[in-house]
Amino acid sequence: IVGMYPKECKEDRVVIRNVKRLIGKKYDSVDHTDDIKMYGAEAVKGKDGYCWFTLDDGNLYSCIDIASFIFAEIKTHADKLLDHVEAEAVISVPAYYNGVQRECIREAAIKAGWKVMHLVNEPTAAAVSYGGDNACRNTILVFDLGGGTLDVTILSLKDGIYRVESTYGDDSLGGNDF
């Protein structure tokens, strides 16, 4: 998840990036040595114990708030493409996300106006997107090396049905870590 500003914005604007690495994590559980380099600003400890950021308007925003801004922007574009048809969303999340992090993503999307039907691990979403022969019976390994994480999932595919056999992720490999 990356903060979004129009390209014509001045360079001195605060743009929060890599917030997906912090969402749902307590402030004290994270090393803040390189916050500015990693996230674009210093994280502060909110009253709830989670990471918050000060944006250009001087107000503090949680990682959920920042994610909801991004989901709102995506929804705006989707509404234009779908002519404002109410749509249900299935959202992919890093495989390593725990229950708290998944709930934070769900909350951010709902806050932005999405009707969230399900959350699915990113490698599983990639495998389903790729497709497969319905008559095929295979076990596949999916690597998702993305903008901030590495996720690996082993899926079995039998008669067009995917089953997650195992999944693992590393939130410190990908994106800025290259």
Side-chain angles (χ1 to χ4, degrees), residues 23-82:
I23 199 162
K25 290 185 178 179
K26 293 286 189 176
Y27 179 88
D28 293 334
S29 71
V30 178
D31 177 10
H32 295 282
T33 310
D34 293 324
D35 274 6
I36 293 176
K37 179 180 173 189
M38 181 64 70
Y39 309 113
E42 289 280 340
V44 298
K45 187 175 184 177
K47 292 179 184 177
D48 58 2
Y50 290 94
C51 297
W52 288 61
F53 291 95
T54 303
L55 297 185
D56 292 334
D57 62 5
N59 293 318
L60 281 172
Y61 294 92
S62 71
C63 293
I64 293 172
D65 293 330
I66 294 167
S68 74
F69 300 154
I70 296 162
F71 280 121
E73 184 72 18
I74 293 167
K75 187 172 185 328
T76 297
H77 292 288
D79 284 346
K80 287 178 187 175
L81 289 172
L82 299 173

Side-chain angles (χ1 to χ4, degrees), residues 16-17 32 69 79 85 91 99 110 114 121 123 145 152 155-156:
I16 305 301
R17 56 186 179 274
H32 295 282
F69 300 154
D79 284 346
V85 175
I91 299 173
I110 290 169
W114 288 96
N121 289 344
L145 183 55
V152 180
L155 297 165
S156 62

Side-chain angles (χ1 to χ4, degrees), residues 128-165:
V128 171
S129 176
Y130 177 75
D133 180 6
N134 285 342
C136 186
R137 296 170 194 249
N138 288 312
T139 300
I140 58 175
L141 176 65
V142 181
F143 288 89
D144 177 3
L145 183 55
T149 62
L150 166 68
D151 292 326
V152 180
T153 298
I154 297 173
L155 297 165
S156 62
L157 174 61
K158 182 177 179 183
D159 299 325
I161 298 173
Y162 292 90
R163 183 172 151 213
V164 176
E165 301 293 342

